[in-house]
Amino acid sequence: MGHDVNGQIDFRRLGSVWRALALLACAGITGQVVALPPEMPWNMPAEHIGVATCAGSNCHGSAQPFDDSPVLQNEYFTWQRKDAHSNAYKLLITPESKRMAANLGIGKPEEATECLTCHSDYVPENKRGRRYSLSEGVGCEACHGGAEDYLGPHVTGNTHEENIADGLYPLADPVDRARLCLNCHMGSTDKPIDHRMMGAGHPPLEFELDTFTNIQPPHFRVDADYKRRKPYAPPAKTWAIGQLIAAEQFLSGLRSNRMQAEGMFPELVFYDCNACHHPMRPPRWSEGAGGPLGPGKVRLADAYLVMSGHVIDALAPALSAPWQSALDALHFASQRSVGAIQSDAATLAGLVAQALDRLRNQSITDAQALELMRRIASSGAKGDAADFTAAKQMFYGLEALLAQVGASNKALAERLNPPMDTLFKTLDAQAQYDPSQMRGGLKQIQQVLAQKAG
């Protein structure tokens, strides 16, 4: 059962055993086998042995993709040359990062845990192999998990499921991928990001699973073999799952100790940046920002919650009314106390879990994708586009949904491209963002989709 050469129990190799026992325990309690979320790569017991161990020319370090292999085998060079994650550590040695670190009083950013936890494959020293290096940035094992146990077996014909049992993180599953990414792209208890960092100069964080998966760019090829070996979700489903998991992560943060008030204020990173940081020129505020709250209110960052509402409306309509009621209650709670926020956040988290359970096991048809596009365009045109962050999420969502619909209806995609270009230009610079232009582009999308329906 996982003994080392000296006959001692090797606890590093018991991860799959513990998972199996946990599944059996759940089965004994509920009568069903319930899959537990996988451990995050930095918490897994395996040693991280460094990017160099993946970069051999016959492994993932080929200069060109292989035509006769189930994987491209040039993944290392795609990461090194085109993926922003490979530059994450290098950003810490720039003048801007040094200025932020000085503002925070944390010394050198390239040595500060607060920075390294997301700008490198940051694991405890006892999990760092001989060829491991922080300066590699967010390398292979930061996302795929420490390779100590799966490196050898995964080149000998193991199935994808066997590789996961050996410690490979299941990135192909959009739920698990989103939960991993959001630790750094939103912040978490493991990787806390707070308003103090933002005040010191850190740029605002944003995330959308389908868009961010594709722009890095992906170092995998989705073909028939990929779909046979791994779970695959088309763009619309990937987007919808990403929104629900972003809502899950945000609500988890609200319910955690990270939200607790320090003196007069709660943790402001959970609040909408645009409520305070906006140009002091007309229109300073317009209806639609902050849900039911009026002008002058410091409002929670609800963009992912609003978008999740569209997902629920279209794909889990029985949850729609409870969701909207709980979301309004959360906004009002944000004006009262941290305790009130956490109570209403728990209600919304329960609804997210129900919606996610339904979505994981269903596909999104082109008709449903079109309905989601109509809902997003309608809500934005009516008011939700007043908030810049929400407007960006609308654009990301429409892009992902159009990617699926346009694959089978190129004529519709061609008609939607001009108004989508309008949205893109409107969102290009936050300081010049004009909600009326955004609403104009969304109304054009409504018109095109109405012609499609007719």
Side-chain angles (χ1 to χ4, degrees), residues 18 55 67 76 87 137 176-177 239 241 246 327 382 420 438:
W18 299 136
D67 293 328
Y76 168 75
N87 290 317
D176 295 324
R177 181 164 78 249
W239 166 79
I241 285 176
L327 180 54
K382 289 177 181 176
M420 288 297 293
M438 183 74 184

Side-chain angles (χ1 to χ4, degrees), residues 246-296:
E248 173 189 82
Q249 183 85 346
F250 179 75
L251 294 166
S252 175
L254 291 183
R255 295 157 63 204
S256 73
N257 290 334
R258 295 173 60 214
M259 180 60 183
Q260 294 299 325
E262 294 186 9
M264 184 180 295
F265 299 105
E267 174 47 63
L268 293 176
V269 79
F270 295 106
Y271 285 77
D272 189 344
C273 303
N274 308 297
C276 299
H277 302 281
H278 58 79
M280 297 301 290
R281 56 173 170 74
R284 297 180 186 176
W285 181 86
S286 61
E287 189 174 359
L293 302 181

Side-chain angles (χ1 to χ4, degrees), residues 215-352:
I215 64 175
Q216 279 316 305
H219 47 258
F220 55 90
R221 175 174 51 211
V222 177
D223 53 17
D225 174 76
Y226 181 98
K227 294 178 182 179
R228 178 181 59 80
R229 293 184 297 112
K230 299 179 179 181
Y232 169 69
K237 185 170 181 177
T238 299
W239 166 79
I241 285 176
Q243 293 302 311
L244 290 175
I245 297 298
E248 173 189 82
Q249 183 85 346
F250 179 75
L251 294 166
S252 175
L254 291 183
R255 295 157 63 204
S256 73
N257 290 334
R258 295 173 60 214
M259 180 60 183
Q260 294 299 325
E262 294 186 9
M264 184 180 295
F265 299 105
E267 174 47 63
L268 293 176
V269 79
F270 295 106
Y271 285 77
D272 189 344
C273 303
N274 308 297
C276 299
H277 302 281
H278 58 79
M280 297 301 290
R281 56 173 170 74
R284 297 180 186 176
W285 181 86
S286 61
E287 189 174 359
L293 302 181
K297 302 293 185 181
V298 181
R299 58 187 183 267
L300 290 170
D302 68 348
Y304 296 117
L305 304 180
V306 170
M307 300 305 289
S308 291
H310 297 314
V311 173
I312 289 170
D313 288 345
L315 304 177
L319 303 176
S320 182
W323 175 267
Q324 190 56 55
S325 176
L327 180 54
D328 286 348
L330 179 69
H331 277 296
F332 289 125
S334 73
Q335 308 300 299
R336 297 199 307 273
S337 69
V338 169
I341 289 172
Q342 294 183 327
S343 176
D344 287 312
T347 301
L348 284 166
L351 295 170
V352 167

